[in-house]
mmCIF file with all atom_site columns, all heavy atoms in Angstrom:
data_model
loop_
_atom_site.group_PDB
_atom_site.id
_atom_site.type_symbol
_atom_site.label_atom_id
_atom_site.label_alt_id
_atom_site.label_comp_id
_atom_site.label_asym_id
_atom_site.label_entity_id
_atom_site.label_seq_id
_atom_site.pdbx_PDB_ins_code
_atom_site.Cartn_x
_atom_site.Cartn_y
_atom_site.Cartn_z
_atom_site.occupancy
_atom_site.B_iso_or_equiv
_atom_site.pdbx_formal_charge
_atom_site.auth_seq_id
_atom_site.auth_comp_id
_atom_site.auth_asym_id
_atom_site.auth_atom_id
_atom_site.pdbx_PDB_model_num
ATOM 1   N N   . PHE C 1 244 ? -17.104 -4.329 -24.120 1.00 97.00 ? 244 PHE C N   1
ATOM 2   C CA  . PHE C 1 244 ? -15.788 -4.375 -24.767 1.00 97.00 ? 244 PHE C CA  1
ATOM 3   C C   . PHE C 1 244 ? -14.822 -3.547 -23.939 1.00 97.00 ? 244 PHE C C   1
ATOM 4   O O   . PHE C 1 244 ? -14.928 -2.325 -23.870 1.00 97.00 ? 244 PHE C O   1
ATOM 5   C CB  . PHE C 1 244 ? -15.903 -3.822 -26.192 1.00 97.00 ? 244 PHE C CB  1
ATOM 6   C CG  . PHE C 1 244 ? -14.621 -3.801 -26.970 1.00 97.00 ? 244 PHE C CG  1
ATOM 7   C CD1 . PHE C 1 244 ? -14.012 -4.983 -27.369 1.00 97.00 ? 244 PHE C CD1 1
ATOM 8   C CD2 . PHE C 1 244 ? -14.018 -2.596 -27.326 1.00 97.00 ? 244 PHE C CD2 1
ATOM 9   C CE1 . PHE C 1 244 ? -12.830 -4.965 -28.100 1.00 97.00 ? 244 PHE C CE1 1
ATOM 10  C CE2 . PHE C 1 244 ? -12.841 -2.562 -28.057 1.00 97.00 ? 244 PHE C CE2 1
ATOM 11  C CZ  . PHE C 1 244 ? -12.254 -3.753 -28.443 1.00 97.00 ? 244 PHE C CZ  1
ATOM 12  N N   . ASP C 1 245 ? -13.861 -4.179 -23.274 1.00 97.00 ? 245 ASP C N   1
ATOM 13  C CA  . ASP C 1 245 ? -13.022 -3.517 -22.282 1.00 97.00 ? 245 ASP C CA  1
ATOM 14  C C   . ASP C 1 245 ? -11.775 -2.875 -22.898 1.00 97.00 ? 245 ASP C C   1
ATOM 15  O O   . ASP C 1 245 ? -10.652 -3.072 -22.439 1.00 97.00 ? 245 ASP C O   1
ATOM 16  C CB  . ASP C 1 245 ? -12.620 -4.515 -21.196 1.00 97.00 ? 245 ASP C CB  1
ATOM 17  C CG  . ASP C 1 245 ? -12.135 -3.813 -19.924 1.00 97.00 ? 245 ASP C CG  1
ATOM 18  O OD1 . ASP C 1 245 ? -12.373 -2.608 -19.784 1.00 97.00 ? 245 ASP C OD1 1
ATOM 19  O OD2 . ASP C 1 245 ? -11.507 -4.493 -19.086 1.00 97.00 ? 245 ASP C OD2 1
ATOM 20  N N   . ARG C 1 246 ? -11.979 -2.123 -23.957 1.00 97.00 ? 246 ARG C N   1
ATOM 21  C CA  . ARG C 1 246 ? -10.930 -1.334 -24.581 1.00 97.00 ? 246 ARG C CA  1
ATOM 22  C C   . ARG C 1 246 ? -11.542 0.003  -25.007 1.00 97.00 ? 246 ARG C C   1
ATOM 23  O O   . ARG C 1 246 ? -12.754 0.143  -25.076 1.00 97.00 ? 246 ARG C O   1
ATOM 24  C CB  . ARG C 1 246 ? -10.324 -2.047 -25.801 1.00 97.00 ? 246 ARG C CB  1
ATOM 25  C CG  . ARG C 1 246 ? -9.584  -3.347 -25.467 1.00 97.00 ? 246 ARG C CG  1
ATOM 26  C CD  . ARG C 1 246 ? -8.321  -3.091 -24.667 1.00 97.00 ? 246 ARG C CD  1
ATOM 27  N NE  . ARG C 1 246 ? -7.527  -4.289 -24.455 1.00 97.00 ? 246 ARG C NE  1
ATOM 28  C CZ  . ARG C 1 246 ? -7.660  -5.119 -23.419 1.00 97.00 ? 246 ARG C CZ  1
ATOM 29  N NH1 . ARG C 1 246 ? -8.572  -4.873 -22.489 1.00 97.00 ? 246 ARG C NH1 1
ATOM 30  N NH2 . ARG C 1 246 ? -6.893  -6.175 -23.296 1.00 97.00 ? 246 ARG C NH2 1
ATOM 31  N N   . SER C 1 247 ? -10.700 0.998  -25.308 1.00 97.00 ? 247 SER C N   1
ATOM 32  C CA  . SER C 1 247 ? -11.168 2.333  -25.654 1.00 97.00 ? 247 SER C CA  1
ATOM 33  C C   . SER C 1 247 ? -11.223 2.526  -27.161 1.00 97.00 ? 247 SER C C   1
ATOM 34  O O   . SER C 1 247 ? -10.193 2.429  -27.843 1.00 97.00 ? 247 SER C O   1
ATOM 35  C CB  . SER C 1 247 ? -10.251 3.396  -25.037 1.00 97.00 ? 247 SER C CB  1
ATOM 36  O OG  . SER C 1 247 ? -10.529 3.588  -23.673 1.00 97.00 ? 247 SER C OG  1
ATOM 37  N N   . ALA C 1 248 ? -12.404 2.820  -27.666 1.00 97.00 ? 248 ALA C N   1
ATOM 38  C CA  . ALA C 1 248 ? -12.618 2.970  -29.104 1.00 97.00 ? 248 ALA C CA  1
ATOM 39  C C   . ALA C 1 248 ? -12.194 4.352  -29.577 1.00 97.00 ? 248 ALA C C   1
ATOM 40  O O   . ALA C 1 248 ? -12.447 5.363  -28.928 1.00 97.00 ? 248 ALA C O   1
ATOM 41  C CB  . ALA C 1 248 ? -14.080 2.734  -29.439 1.00 97.00 ? 248 ALA C CB  1
ATOM 42  N N   . ASP C 1 249 ? -11.569 4.389  -30.750 1.00 96.00 ? 249 ASP C N   1
ATOM 43  C CA  . ASP C 1 249 ? -11.080 5.651  -31.313 1.00 96.00 ? 249 ASP C CA  1
ATOM 44  C C   . ASP C 1 249 ? -11.279 5.606  -32.826 1.00 96.00 ? 249 ASP C C   1
ATOM 45  O O   . ASP C 1 249 ? -11.443 4.547  -33.421 1.00 96.00 ? 249 ASP C O   1
ATOM 46  C CB  . ASP C 1 249 ? -9.596  5.816  -30.951 1.00 96.00 ? 249 ASP C CB  1
ATOM 47  C CG  . ASP C 1 249 ? -9.084  7.230  -31.176 1.00 96.00 ? 249 ASP C CG  1
ATOM 48  O OD1 . ASP C 1 249 ? -9.905  8.141  -31.352 1.00 96.00 ? 249 ASP C OD1 1
ATOM 49  O OD2 . ASP C 1 249 ? -7.854  7.418  -31.172 1.00 96.00 ? 249 ASP C OD2 1
ATOM 50  N N   . GLU C 1 250 ? -11.275 6.775  -33.483 1.00 96.00 ? 250 GLU C N   1
ATOM 51  C CA  . GLU C 1 250 ? -11.300 6.879  -34.948 1.00 96.00 ? 250 GLU C CA  1
ATOM 52  C C   . GLU C 1 250 ? -12.452 6.081  -35.565 1.00 96.00 ? 250 GLU C C   1
ATOM 53  O O   . GLU C 1 250 ? -12.245 5.075  -36.230 1.00 96.00 ? 250 GLU C O   1
ATOM 54  C CB  . GLU C 1 250 ? -9.975  6.399  -35.546 1.00 96.00 ? 250 GLU C CB  1
ATOM 55  C CG  . GLU C 1 250 ? -8.767  7.196  -35.114 1.00 96.00 ? 250 GLU C CG  1
ATOM 56  C CD  . GLU C 1 250 ? -7.519  6.733  -35.829 1.00 96.00 ? 250 GLU C CD  1
ATOM 57  O OE1 . GLU C 1 250 ? -7.374  7.040  -37.016 1.00 96.00 ? 250 GLU C OE1 1
ATOM 58  O OE2 . GLU C 1 250 ? -6.703  6.039  -35.204 1.00 96.00 ? 250 GLU C OE2 1
ATOM 59  N N   . LEU C 1 251 ? -13.665 6.551  -35.393 1.00 97.00 ? 251 LEU C N   1
ATOM 60  C CA  . LEU C 1 251 ? -14.837 5.838  -35.867 1.00 97.00 ? 251 LEU C CA  1
ATOM 61  C C   . LEU C 1 251 ? -15.110 6.102  -37.352 1.00 97.00 ? 251 LEU C C   1
ATOM 62  O O   . LEU C 1 251 ? -14.855 7.192  -37.868 1.00 97.00 ? 251 LEU C O   1
ATOM 63  C CB  . LEU C 1 251 ? -16.077 6.253  -35.062 1.00 97.00 ? 251 LEU C CB  1
ATOM 64  C CG  . LEU C 1 251 ? -16.326 5.562  -33.728 1.00 97.00 ? 251 LEU C CG  1
ATOM 65  C CD1 . LEU C 1 251 ? -15.172 5.747  -32.758 1.00 97.00 ? 251 LEU C CD1 1
ATOM 66  C CD2 . LEU C 1 251 ? -17.620 6.085  -33.098 1.00 97.00 ? 251 LEU C CD2 1
ATOM 67  N N   . ALA C 1 252 ? -15.637 5.084  -38.040 1.00 97.00 ? 252 ALA C N   1
ATOM 68  C CA  . ALA C 1 252 ? -16.071 5.216  -39.430 1.00 97.00 ? 252 ALA C CA  1
ATOM 69  C C   . ALA C 1 252 ? -17.186 4.217  -39.701 1.00 97.00 ? 252 ALA C C   1
ATOM 70  O O   . ALA C 1 252 ? -17.278 3.176  -39.037 1.00 97.00 ? 252 ALA C O   1
ATOM 71  C CB  . ALA C 1 252 ? -14.906 4.978  -40.392 1.00 97.00 ? 252 ALA C CB  1
ATOM 72  N N   . TRP C 1 253 ? -18.038 4.540  -40.658 1.00 97.00 ? 253 TRP C N   1
ATOM 73  C CA  . TRP C 1 253 ? -19.156 3.669  -41.037 1.00 97.00 ? 253 TRP C CA  1
ATOM 74  C C   . TRP C 1 253 ? -18.829 2.870  -42.296 1.00 97.00 ? 253 TRP C C   1
ATOM 75  O O   . TRP C 1 253 ? -18.080 3.333  -43.163 1.00 97.00 ? 253 TRP C O   1
ATOM 76  C CB  . TRP C 1 253 ? -20.403 4.499  -41.329 1.00 97.00 ? 253 TRP C CB  1
ATOM 77  C CG  . TRP C 1 253 ? -21.126 5.019  -40.125 1.00 97.00 ? 253 TRP C CG  1
ATOM 78  C CD1 . TRP C 1 253 ? -20.907 6.205  -39.482 1.00 97.00 ? 253 TRP C CD1 1
ATOM 79  C CD2 . TRP C 1 253 ? -22.214 4.383  -39.442 1.00 97.00 ? 253 TRP C CD2 1
ATOM 80  N NE1 . TRP C 1 253 ? -21.781 6.343  -38.432 1.00 97.00 ? 253 TRP C NE1 1
ATOM 81  C CE2 . TRP C 1 253 ? -22.603 5.250  -38.377 1.00 97.00 ? 253 TRP C CE2 1
ATOM 82  C CE3 . TRP C 1 253 ? -22.900 3.179  -39.609 1.00 97.00 ? 253 TRP C CE3 1
ATOM 83  C CZ2 . TRP C 1 253 ? -23.643 4.933  -37.509 1.00 97.00 ? 253 TRP C CZ2 1
ATOM 84  C CZ3 . TRP C 1 253 ? -23.927 2.864  -38.746 1.00 97.00 ? 253 TRP C CZ3 1
ATOM 85  C CH2 . TRP C 1 253 ? -24.298 3.729  -37.700 1.00 97.00 ? 253 TRP C CH2 1
ATOM 86  N N   . SER C 1 254 ? -19.439 1.690  -42.405 1.00 96.00 ? 254 SER C N   1
ATOM 87  C CA  . SER C 1 254 ? -19.420 0.962  -43.669 1.00 96.00 ? 254 SER C CA  1
ATOM 88  C C   . SER C 1 254 ? -20.358 1.667  -44.644 1.00 96.00 ? 254 SER C C   1
ATOM 89  O O   . SER C 1 254 ? -21.257 2.421  -44.240 1.00 96.00 ? 254 SER C O   1
ATOM 90  C CB  . SER C 1 254 ? -19.867 -0.489 -43.467 1.00 96.00 ? 254 SER C CB  1
ATOM 91  O OG  . SER C 1 254 ? -21.203 -0.534 -42.983 1.00 96.00 ? 254 SER C OG  1
ATOM 92  N N   . ALA C 1 255 ? -20.172 1.443  -45.930 1.00 96.00 ? 255 ALA C N   1
ATOM 93  C CA  . ALA C 1 255 ? -20.968 2.138  -46.948 1.00 96.00 ? 255 ALA C CA  1
ATOM 94  C C   . ALA C 1 255 ? -22.454 1.827  -46.847 1.00 96.00 ? 255 ALA C C   1
ATOM 95  O O   . ALA C 1 255 ? -23.302 2.657  -47.212 1.00 96.00 ? 255 ALA C O   1
ATOM 96  C CB  . ALA C 1 255 ? -20.445 1.775  -48.341 1.00 96.00 ? 255 ALA C CB  1
ATOM 97  N N   . ASP C 1 256 ? -22.814 0.625  -46.326 1.00 96.00 ? 256 ASP C N   1
ATOM 98  C CA  . ASP C 1 256 ? -24.223 0.251  -46.232 1.00 96.00 ? 256 ASP C CA  1
ATOM 99  C C   . ASP C 1 256 ? -24.859 0.628  -44.894 1.00 96.00 ? 256 ASP C C   1
ATOM 100 O O   . ASP C 1 256 ? -26.009 0.256  -44.614 1.00 96.00 ? 256 ASP C O   1
ATOM 101 C CB  . ASP C 1 256 ? -24.402 -1.257 -46.481 1.00 96.00 ? 256 ASP C CB  1
ATOM 102 C CG  . ASP C 1 256 ? -23.633 -2.112 -45.462 1.00 96.00 ? 256 ASP C CG  1
ATOM 103 O OD1 . ASP C 1 256 ? -23.086 -1.549 -44.481 1.00 96.00 ? 256 ASP C OD1 1
ATOM 104 O OD2 . ASP C 1 256 ? -23.568 -3.339 -45.668 1.00 96.00 ? 256 ASP C OD2 1
ATOM 105 N N   . SER C 1 257 ? -24.122 1.352  -44.057 1.00 97.00 ? 257 SER C N   1
ATOM 106 C CA  . SER C 1 257 ? -24.615 1.835  -42.749 1.00 97.00 ? 257 SER C CA  1
ATOM 107 C C   . SER C 1 257 ? -24.926 0.711  -41.763 1.00 97.00 ? 257 SER C C   1
ATOM 108 O O   . SER C 1 257 ? -25.623 0.927  -40.772 1.00 97.00 ? 257 SER C O   1
ATOM 109 C CB  . SER C 1 257 ? -25.867 2.711  -42.925 1.00 97.00 ? 257 SER C CB  1
ATOM 110 O OG  . SER C 1 257 ? -25.598 3.846  -43.708 1.00 97.00 ? 257 SER C OG  1
ATOM 111 N N   . LYS C 1 258 ? -24.381 -0.475 -42.005 1.00 97.00 ? 258 LYS C N   1
ATOM 112 C CA  . LYS C 1 258 ? -24.670 -1.599 -41.115 1.00 97.00 ? 258 LYS C CA  1
ATOM 113 C C   . LYS C 1 258 ? -23.550 -1.882 -40.110 1.00 97.00 ? 258 LYS C C   1
ATOM 114 O O   . LYS C 1 258 ? -23.783 -2.530 -39.090 1.00 97.00 ? 258 LYS C O   1
ATOM 115 C CB  . LYS C 1 258 ? -24.929 -2.862 -41.950 1.00 97.00 ? 258 LYS C CB  1
ATOM 116 C CG  . LYS C 1 258 ? -26.206 -2.805 -42.779 1.00 97.00 ? 258 LYS C CG  1
ATOM 117 C CD  . LYS C 1 258 ? -26.420 -4.096 -43.547 1.00 97.00 ? 258 LYS C CD  1
ATOM 118 C CE  . LYS C 1 258 ? -27.713 -4.045 -44.348 1.00 97.00 ? 258 LYS C CE  1
ATOM 119 N NZ  . LYS C 1 258 ? -27.937 -5.296 -45.129 1.00 97.00 ? 258 LYS C NZ  1
ATOM 120 N N   . SER C 1 259 ? -22.338 -1.411 -40.389 1.00 97.00 ? 259 SER C N   1
ATOM 121 C CA  . SER C 1 259 ? -21.204 -1.709 -39.527 1.00 97.00 ? 259 SER C CA  1
ATOM 122 C C   . SER C 1 259 ? -20.444 -0.438 -39.168 1.00 97.00 ? 259 SER C C   1
ATOM 123 O O   . SER C 1 259 ? -20.483 0.558  -39.903 1.00 97.00 ? 259 SER C O   1
ATOM 124 C CB  . SER C 1 259 ? -20.235 -2.686 -40.210 1.00 97.00 ? 259 SER C CB  1
ATOM 125 O OG  . SER C 1 259 ? -20.864 -3.910 -40.503 1.00 97.00 ? 259 SER C OG  1
ATOM 126 N N   . ILE C 1 260 ? -19.741 -0.497 -38.036 1.00 98.00 ? 260 ILE C N   1
ATOM 127 C CA  . ILE C 1 260 ? -18.902 0.601  -37.583 1.00 98.00 ? 260 ILE C CA  1
ATOM 128 C C   . ILE C 1 260 ? -17.482 0.079  -37.398 1.00 98.00 ? 260 ILE C C   1
ATOM 129 O O   . ILE C 1 260 ? -17.274 -1.004 -36.840 1.00 98.00 ? 260 ILE C O   1
ATOM 130 C CB  . ILE C 1 260 ? -19.421 1.190  -36.252 1.00 98.00 ? 260 ILE C CB  1
ATOM 131 C CG1 . ILE C 1 260 ? -20.808 1.808  -36.464 1.00 98.00 ? 260 ILE C CG1 1
ATOM 132 C CG2 . ILE C 1 260 ? -18.458 2.234  -35.701 1.00 98.00 ? 260 ILE C CG2 1
ATOM 133 C CD1 . ILE C 1 260 ? -21.465 2.265  -35.174 1.00 98.00 ? 260 ILE C CD1 1
ATOM 134 N N   . TYR C 1 261 ? -16.520 0.836  -37.884 1.00 98.00 ? 261 TYR C N   1
ATOM 135 C CA  . TYR C 1 261 ? -15.110 0.512  -37.717 1.00 98.00 ? 261 TYR C CA  1
ATOM 136 C C   . TYR C 1 261 ? -14.514 1.432  -36.655 1.00 98.00 ? 261 TYR C C   1
ATOM 137 O O   . TYR C 1 261 ? -14.917 2.583  -36.510 1.00 98.00 ? 261 TYR C O   1
ATOM 138 C CB  . TYR C 1 261 ? -14.338 0.726  -39.021 1.00 98.00 ? 261 TYR C CB  1
ATOM 139 C CG  . TYR C 1 261 ? -14.776 -0.136 -40.179 1.00 98.00 ? 261 TYR C CG  1
ATOM 140 C CD1 . TYR C 1 261 ? -15.820 0.257  -41.009 1.00 98.00 ? 261 TYR C CD1 1
ATOM 141 C CD2 . TYR C 1 261 ? -14.123 -1.325 -40.463 1.00 98.00 ? 261 TYR C CD2 1
ATOM 142 C CE1 . TYR C 1 261 ? -16.224 -0.514 -42.088 1.00 98.00 ? 261 TYR C CE1 1
ATOM 143 C CE2 . TYR C 1 261 ? -14.507 -2.119 -41.536 1.00 98.00 ? 261 TYR C CE2 1
ATOM 144 C CZ  . TYR C 1 261 ? -15.558 -1.704 -42.342 1.00 98.00 ? 261 TYR C CZ  1
ATOM 145 O OH  . TYR C 1 261 ? -15.946 -2.487 -43.402 1.00 98.00 ? 261 TYR C OH  1
#
Side-chain angles (χ1 to χ4, degrees):
F244 180 68
D245 198 15
R246 295 292 186 270
S247 281
D249 195 14
E250 299 185 74
L251 277 59
W253 283 89
S254 62
D256 60 8
S257 299
K258 293 182 179 179
S259 299
I260 296 173
Y261 298 86

